[in-house]
Amino acid sequence: MKKVLILGGGTGGTNIANHLRKLHNTKEMTITVVDRDDVHIYQPGLLFIPFGIYKPEEIVRPRLKQLSSNINHIFSEIDRVEHSANQVHLKDGQILDYDLLVIATGAEILPEETEGLTGTGWQKNMFDFYTLEGAKNLAQKLGTWQGGRLVINVVDMPIKCPVAPLEFAFLADWYFHKRGIRDKVEIIYATPLDGAFTKPMASKFLQNLLSQKNIILETEFNTATADGKNSKLVAYDEREIPFDLLVSIPIHGGSSYIEKSPGLGDELNFVITDKNTLQAKCAANIFAIGDVTTLPTSKAGSVTHFAAEVLVENILAWFKGEELPAHFDGHANCFIETGFKRALLIDFNYETEPLPGHFPFAFGPMALLKETRLNHLGKMMFSWLYWNFLLPARPLPGIPSKMSLKGKKTS
Amino acid sequence: MGLKEYAGKQIEIDDDGFVVNVSDWNEEIAKAIAAENSLTNLNAQHWQVINFMRKKFTEDGDTPSVRALGKLSGVSIKELYELFPKGPAKLAAKIAGVPKPRGCI
Ligand SMILES: Cc1cc2nc3c(=O)[nH]c(=O)nc-3n(C[C@H](O)[C@H](O)[C@H](O)COP(=O)(O)OP(=O)(O)OC[C@H]3O[C@@H](n4cnc5c(N)ncnc54)[C@H](O)[C@@H]3O)c2cc1C
């Protein structure tokens, strides 16, 4: 009997559990998923909550309902992993043994790590939208806000879905237009990067879009302090940005149990993971997937989905004692909502930056690095795909896990 | 990509001006790159960061971020910005002859 333990029942953990259950019956393999609660949030939906496009209850479902039957589950906070003993300790005192461990506990925001951010003004004139609470509070604030300086600030990288803050800026532009007060709102986008985005071609494109929409870009802004009382951000180089309303994308890190687990994580509590095989550096029988890893690609649901196919193949090989056959290429595929019912699409991997062209086939129907109506429909349909294809581990029709150059303009 | 002369040696550098081969580097080259970026006097703390950066890159195959430097190098983030103004991780990486920090994706 093979014993698989999965930490985290979010996007990656749920997908892997369901996929393994399809391949092995309960006599061959026990599968156990640990998570702290029974609330599964469709995180890409958080972007739309502040603007009233989605209601909070539309993006939340029970976790257990997403797991097929015959998968064991435990609700508890994780305390630590002891890889030399093949054991996981839970906060409720249980100790779990495993033959193979999959870590899928994601990334979380750490606003308390930025001086002042959780002090005076937090959730009053300084908000986040990466948590359901934050997104709900921001929705209330925006609904009655009469205008002023809106500052969107990425404190530091890496963050989940690195395009989401840009999407927030684009949607804010649209939202204030719709409310008829765009001329009373100044929108500033402050980032530690040297451009709107990391990858050169997409960065240039997005920068143009920001300026077209009259959103001011402030680059290489490394936030030292968020001062809610005096309504300003202060950078390490002493630059200041005053605000009336701050939307902060706080520092991210892995869950704190990783710090207590010998050898598992790096200084930000992300699990040190082989970018091709997804094996953890500390032990051959530990694998990691999704936002919790150190893979040099976006922390995104699409990445988690593509990586899951590679991971399952390698898990099966590992149980047979074979060499790990599957290699992840870092494939990411992200819709970027740009407001006014249009969106961009980018598709890339470790080696290839986002390029213009067509997707998924040479003729399309989707366009890459271009604002279209169809891309917007794709973005809105993603929620349905998430619950019905991604979590139950059904392959997405026409979209293989490896990135394809088909349709991309490479010169 | 291209060649550039530092301290009397032809060094291969990438489009952003970062040394391509980690093994091409020496302390004289570091000083030359620093001078080019308006850092004419490298003090002991500068070297502490530069050496830490090279050590970490050799161990992990990855250039550390500012946050990682702040936690691990023994120099606080505030000081890092004083030593290497604007983008400490980027500038220190350039001088240390390791790749541009990926700043994430
Ligand atoms: C605002 C926003 C917008 C986004 N937009 C997009 C998008 O458009 N497209 C896209 O592809 N991706 C998007 N993402 C990213 C996507 O949601 C994540 O990449 C994806 O959910 C990662 O899956 P995961 O399994 O790694 O982590 P998660 O799905 O976050 O799951 C981690 C699980 O681990 C549990 N856990 C963590 N620590 C502990 C502990 N100590 N004890 C017990 N349980 C624990 C948590 O409760 C959670 O259920 C967005 C994210 C955000 C925040």
Side-chain angles (χ1 to χ4, degrees):
Chain A
M1 175 72 94
K2 305 176 172 87
K3 213 187 254 178
V4 174
L5 180 60
I6 300 175
L7 303 183
T11 312
T14 303
N15 176 296
I16 295 294
N18 287 332
H19 199 152
L20 288 175
R21 186 76 298 156
K22 283 185 207 175
L23 301 172
H24 287 288
N25 65 33
T26 49
K27 291 204 185 75
E28 295 161 344
M29 186 185 274
T30 61
I31 304 172
T32 306
V33 176
V34 182
D35 203 298
R36 55 165 72 101
D37 58 32
D38 193 21
V39 185
H40 192 134
I41 300 172
Y42 168 65
Q43 296 177 56
L46 291 170
L47 170 68
F48 298 104
I49 302 278
F51 305 105
I53 300 170
Y54 285 153
K55 298 261 166 304
E57 57 275 15
E58 287 179 282
I59 66 165
V60 178
R61 297 191 187 180
R63 230 178 257 298
L64 284 188
K65 288 251 166 67
Q66 318 311 318
L67 290 170
S68 44
S69 51
N70 301 322
I71 292 173
N72 309 322
H73 62 270
I74 297 170
F75 291 127
S76 169
E77 192 73 28
I78 299 152
D79 185 61
R80 67 185 190 278
V81 177
E82 295 282 355
H83 71 79
S84 49
N86 294 325
Q87 281 180 337
V88 172
H89 294 243
L90 302 183
K91 279 265 161 71
D92 69 6
Q94 288 188 77
I95 299 173
L96 309 172
D97 298 309
Y98 60 82
D99 297 322
L100 186 133
L101 181 68
V102 176
I103 301 183
T105 44
E108 53 196 50
I109 61 163
L110 305 166
E112 62 285 353
E113 282 206 11
T114 298
E115 197 185 314
L117 189 54
T118 51
T120 311
W122 181 234
Q123 305 294 329
K124 296 205 170 60
N125 62 350
M126 307 193 288
F127 295 84
D128 78 282
F129 69 96
Y130 271 49
T131 59
L132 193 55
E133 267 319 293
K136 277 198 244 178
N137 292 341
L138 185 53
Q140 268 194 351
K141 177 79 183 183
L142 285 181
T144 55
W145 199 50
Q146 291 310 315
R149 271 170 81 86
L150 167 65
V151 175
I152 299 148
N153 175 225
V154 177
V155 176
D156 200 2
M157 305 298 283
I159 58 170
K160 296 195 245 193
C161 193
V163 294
L166 284 165
E167 296 181 277
F168 187 93
F170 296 140
L171 282 172
D173 167 68
W174 161 80
Y175 175 84
F176 294 120
H177 264 117
K178 201 188 64 166
R179 278 190 49 200
I181 58 166
R182 180 63 179 93
D183 58 338
K184 296 199 178 68
V185 180
E186 212 179 336
I187 307 179
I188 292 105
Y189 187 86
T191 168
L193 299 175
D194 57 10
F197 196 55
T198 43
K199 311 272 185 168
M201 191 103 79
S203 188
K204 209 170 134 211
F205 189 93
L206 290 162
Q207 243 151 272
N208 282 337
L209 212 54
L210 286 172
S211 81
Q212 272 169 37
K213 292 179 190 290
N214 203 10
I215 298 165
I216 298 154
L217 177 64
E218 187 80 32
T219 58
E220 295 183 278
F221 189 87
N222 293 284
T223 309
T225 312
D227 180 350
K229 203 166 144 223
N230 298 305
S231 298
K232 64 179 183 187
L233 289 175
V234 184
Y236 283 109
D237 64 6
E238 281 157 19
R239 260 188 289 169
E240 296 190 353
I241 301 181
F243 60 79
D244 294 306
L245 179 56
L246 173 70
V247 175
S248 175
I249 294 81
I251 283 174
H252 282 50
S255 183
S256 57
Y257 79 88
I258 293 170
E259 197 168 358
K260 287 179 73 182
S261 308
L264 195 59
D266 70 3
E267 63 286 347
L268 309 180
N269 290 338
F270 292 123
V271 174
I272 304 169
T273 312
D274 185 289
K275 70 174 190 174
N276 297 122
T277 62
L278 306 174
Q279 198 166 38
K281 195 175 164 197
C282 68
N285 61 339
I286 301 182
F287 289 81
I289 184 163
D291 297 349
V292 77
T293 67
T294 50
L295 305 196
T297 185
S298 286
K299 295 197 181 300
S302 61
V303 173
T304 308
H305 172 77
F306 296 132
E309 293 181 31
V310 169
L311 181 55
V312 167
E313 214 180 314
N314 282 347
I315 290 176
L316 299 185
W318 184 85
F319 272 118
K320 289 190 205 136
E322 294 167 0
E323 219 177 284
L324 304 180
H327 281 222
F328 186 50
D329 67 350
H331 189 187
N333 179 283
C334 307
F335 289 104
I336 307 175
E337 189 70 11
T338 56
F340 299 93
K341 294 198 162 55
R342 299 206 297 167
L344 297 171
L345 177 61
I346 56 176
D347 192 62
F348 57 102
N349 67 11
Y350 293 143
E351 260 77 51
T352 311
E353 66 161 317
L355 297 169
H358 296 285
F359 184 84
F361 307 108
F363 60 86
M366 306 265 185
L368 293 169
L369 259 189
K370 196 172 159 193
E371 280 191 278
T372 69
R373 193 70 178 231
L374 189 61
N375 287 340
H376 163 74
L377 294 176
K379 174 98 189 174
M380 300 321 275
M381 210 178 80
F382 191 60
S383 149
W384 182 81
L385 284 173
Y386 183 84
W387 300 111
N388 295 291
F389 280 81
L390 213 158
L391 294 182
R394 299 193 181 108
L396 290 178
I399 306 179
S401 83
K402 280 223 174 338
M403 195 207 76
S404 156
L405 279 172
K406 234 183 272 169
K408 292 194 174 67
K409 294 196 189 117
T410 47
S411 60
Chain B
M1 288 288 186
L3 287 175
K4 196 159 176 182
E5 190 178 307
Y6 285 113
K9 225 173 127 183
Q10 291 289 324
I11 307 287
E12 200 178 337
I13 54 162
D14 70 10
D15 292 340
D16 297 315
F18 286 76
V19 175
V20 174
N21 304 307
V22 191
S23 54
D24 281 353
W25 181 92
N26 63 38
E27 294 194 355
E28 290 311 309
I29 293 172
K31 284 182 199 159
I33 300 174
E36 191 184 50
N37 288 279
S38 332
L39 285 182
T40 40
N41 257 325
L42 296 181
N43 63 25
Q45 260 194 326
H46 284 112
W47 286 110
Q48 185 181 341
V49 177
I50 293 166
N51 291 329
F52 175 81
M53 218 145 197
R54 288 189 64 84
K55 177 168 158 267
K56 194 88 175 110
F57 180 79
T58 327
E59 283 168 11
D60 305 349
D62 226 355
T63 306
S65 64
V66 189
R67 257 166 90 201
L69 286 176
K71 285 197 178 172
L72 302 173
S73 71
V75 177
S76 75
I77 296 190
K78 186 120 192 77
E79 290 169 316
L80 283 164
Y81 276 92
E82 283 156 17
L83 294 168
F84 302 94
K86 280 206 146 186
K90 221 163 95 180
L91 188 51
K94 204 175 235 180
I95 298 171
V98 298
K100 184 175 174 179
R102 40 186 168 81
C104 288
I105 302 98

